[in-house]
Amino acid sequence: MNGENETVAPSLPRLPELPKRSARDADLAGPPASGYTLLPWLLMGLGAFSNLVQGRTPNPWIGGAGLLAFNSLYISVAFRAFVKEKRESRATLAALAAMAAITYGLTIFYGGTWLFFFPLLALACGAVLRDRRLGLTIMVLAGSAGAISGMEAGEVWDNVTLAYGTFLSGMVTAAVLSLSQTVRELRDTRQELARTAVEKERLRFSRDLHDLLGHTLSVIVVKSEAARRLAPRDLDAALGQVADIESVGRQALTEIREAVTGYREGSLGTELDRARSALLAAEVEPVVRLSGPPLPSQVEALLGWVVREAVTNVVRHSGAARCEIAVDGTPGRVRLKITDDGHGVPPEQPAAPGPRIGGTGLKGLTERLATAGGSLEAGPGPRGGFQVTAELPVDPVDAALEAELEAQGARQD
């Protein structure tokens, strides 16, 4: 039955304003993350709309209401599909179910151009579904489109074409949007890695600067005091201390330049020689023992930082008369132990039960060694005084990175 009165075109809901895209967004590859990408496909419903306007649709008010409801739900789903939380919500799945009910009702009752609602419904499903439900849903929609089209005794190839178009619209949409989401996630990951690299570089520089200046200035102060004490009775010895101060200052300038450029690799032997010189200038007897195979440069650099910081603390705070430095290495692991016979933990930092970590320098060293798979403990020595113990694998690794890789492997399994 054809309606005698001309029906009024159903009005669509007002769309949100199109977000402004920056120049940076325009340079990025991939489709824009917006529901506007899916709206042009609504033109597939122009045939049904044309039938309504021309009065060739029985019960046009039912058809108009169905067209308005389907378009409104489609627009809502299109914009919700690009927000993960909304895409996975029950409201979005309910909207898809309502679209499916409208599609089956209109296509069975009207047929003809209304059958193009099936590709639109499949496209909406492809934009929302991301799991195993997608394949089954698209197969059911494609089969239903072909079967309902066949009920009108149309050409077989027309039925096959409609079914194939329904299947293709859903699967291609899902593939393209999944790829777009992956690109965005990779871009976000790249930005996060860049931010993390900057933070690590800042932390490295602050640690290096603290350790370099703290140790160097302590040595300069100690040798200056020694030169002042020696000057009245032994001018040559005092001049030797002044020469050492000049040498330490020049070396400090070189090390700071290397620290800024990120190329500094400390030698454990060099640091032990400097530690011995600093302890002697502070009238602390140094005892150094080395055992084990040669160590990789990265391990020597880390242990060199420990020696530098621990000896600086001995010279500054301990009031010790003797300091022992022992390096014991095995093919798999190396241990550095620095012990003094001073007054131990300063009064303002009372000892707590169990291992503890001291000031800012030792905290930074603890983080460095932990990153390389090692550990550092600092606290009262077994015979009084203070003791710092550092352990490292001979082949240090980035423990945080290794843990992350293991976690990813477990998630994939």
Side-chain angles (χ1 to χ4, degrees), residues 366-381:
T366 303
E367 296 173 358
R368 288 189 185 191
L369 267 64
T371 301
S375 63
L376 186 141
E377 295 180 358

Side-chain angles (χ1 to χ4, degrees), residues 227-397:
R228 179 177 54 81
R229 290 195 306 267
L230 293 171
R233 62 178 186 271
D234 192 343
L235 185 59
D236 291 338
L239 291 176
Q241 295 293 334
V242 172
D244 288 345
I245 293 174
E246 179 183 1
S247 175
V248 169
R250 293 182 183 277
Q251 182 64 30
L253 289 175
T254 302
E255 290 177 346
I256 290 176
R257 293 191 188 100
E258 292 174 347
V260 171
T261 55
Y263 293 122
R264 182 176 191 276
E265 289 189 1
S267 166
L268 181 58
T270 302
E271 293 297 342
L272 290 175
D273 291 339
R274 294 175 183 171
R276 186 182 290 108
S277 176
L279 291 171
L280 289 173
E283 299 182 347
V284 178
E285 179 187 359
V287 179
V288 180
R289 294 194 300 270
L290 297 174
S291 64
L295 301 174
S297 59
Q298 185 178 355
V299 175
E300 286 203 6
L302 289 171
L303 295 182
W305 283 115
V306 178
V307 171
R308 175 184 288 261
E309 179 64 26
V311 170
T312 299
N313 289 337
V314 171
V315 171
R316 281 180 174 178
H317 311 299
S318 69
R322 178 185 174 91
C323 178
E324 297 183 3
I325 305 175
V327 180
D328 299 318
T330 64
R333 201 165 184 85
V334 61
R335 172 182 293 181
L336 167 67
K337 186 179 295 184
I338 303 174
T339 308
D340 64 69
D341 60 354
H343 49 63
V345 182
E348 64 273 17
Q349 295 179 344
R356 63 177 297 278
I357 299 301
T360 304
L362 292 179
K363 288 181 179 179
L365 288 173
T366 303
E367 296 173 358
R368 288 189 185 191
L369 267 64
T371 301
S375 63
L376 186 141
E377 295 180 358
R383 297 186 300 272
F386 199 75
Q387 179 173 284
V388 176
T389 304
E391 290 192 16
L392 272 174
V394 172
D395 185 15
V397 296

Side-chain angles (χ1 to χ4, degrees), residues 67-381:
L67 181 61
L68 176 61
F70 183 90
N71 288 344
S72 301
L73 290 171
Y74 179 90
I75 292 172
S76 174
V77 169
F79 283 98
R80 296 174 70 89
F82 289 87
V83 181
K84 183 177 180 181
E85 294 75 12
K86 293 182 179 180
R87 182 176 67 239
E88 297 176 351
S89 67
R90 293 183 178 180
T92 304
L93 298 179
L96 282 180
M99 290 175 62
I102 295 172
T103 299
Y104 277 96
L106 293 177
T107 53
I108 292 175
F109 188 70
Y110 292 123
T113 56
W114 296 82
L115 290 168
F116 287 107
F117 278 40
F118 272 109
L120 280 173
L121 176 60
L123 190 148
C125 292
V128 171
L129 302 178
R130 292 288 189 273
D131 50 21
R132 297 178 180 178
R133 296 175 297 178
L134 174 64
L136 178 61
T137 301
I138 299 302
M139 292 293 294
V140 170
L141 292 178
S144 299
I148 295 175
S149 177
M151 292 170 56
E152 296 186 355
E155 293 291 337
V156 175
W157 286 111
D158 292 342
N159 304 335
V160 174
T161 300
L162 180 63
Y164 179 71
T166 300
F167 175 82
L168 200 62
S169 63
M171 298 306 293
V172 170
T173 300
V176 171
L177 295 186
S178 297
L179 179 60
S180 176
Q181 180 181 353
T182 302
V183 170
R184 290 195 299 272
E185 290 176 352
L186 289 174
R187 187 183 300 134
D188 294 340
T189 301
R190 182 181 63 184
Q191 294 174 352
E192 180 65 21
L193 290 175
R195 184 187 65 81
T196 303
V198 171
E199 291 181 353
K200 286 185 176 180
E201 181 62 16
R202 288 175 177 173
L203 182 60
R204 180 199 67 81
F205 180 74
S206 64
R207 287 171 175 172
D208 287 2
L209 198 61
H210 170 274
D211 295 340
L212 286 170
L213 292 182
H215 173 78
T216 301
L217 294 177
S218 296
V219 172
I220 290 175
V221 169
V222 170
K223 287 187 172 292
S224 298
E225 292 175 349
R228 179 177 54 81
R229 290 195 306 267
L230 293 171
R233 62 178 186 271
D234 192 343
L235 185 59
D236 291 338
L239 291 176
Q241 295 293 334
V242 172
D244 288 345
I245 293 174
E246 179 183 1
S247 175
V248 169
R250 293 182 183 277
Q251 182 64 30
L253 289 175
T254 302
E255 290 177 346
I256 290 176
R257 293 191 188 100
E258 292 174 347
V260 171
T261 55
Y263 293 122
R264 182 176 191 276
E265 289 189 1
S267 166
L268 181 58
T270 302
E271 293 297 342
L272 290 175
D273 291 339
R274 294 175 183 171
R276 186 182 290 108
S277 176
L279 291 171
L280 289 173
E283 299 182 347
V284 178
E285 179 187 359
V287 179
V288 180
R289 294 194 300 270
L290 297 174
S291 64
L295 301 174
S297 59
Q298 185 178 355
V299 175
E300 286 203 6
L302 289 171
L303 295 182
W305 283 115
V306 178
V307 171
R308 175 184 288 261
E309 179 64 26
V311 170
T312 299
N313 289 337
V314 171
V315 171
R316 281 180 174 178
H317 311 299
S318 69
R322 178 185 174 91
C323 178
E324 297 183 3
I325 305 175
V327 180
D328 299 318
T330 64
R333 201 165 184 85
V334 61
R335 172 182 293 181
L336 167 67
K337 186 179 295 184
I338 303 174
T339 308
D340 64 69
D341 60 354
H343 49 63
V345 182
E348 64 273 17
Q349 295 179 344
R356 63 177 297 278
I357 299 301
T360 304
L362 292 179
K363 288 181 179 179
L365 288 173
T366 303
E367 296 173 358
R368 288 189 185 191
L369 267 64
T371 301
S375 63
L376 186 141
E377 295 180 358

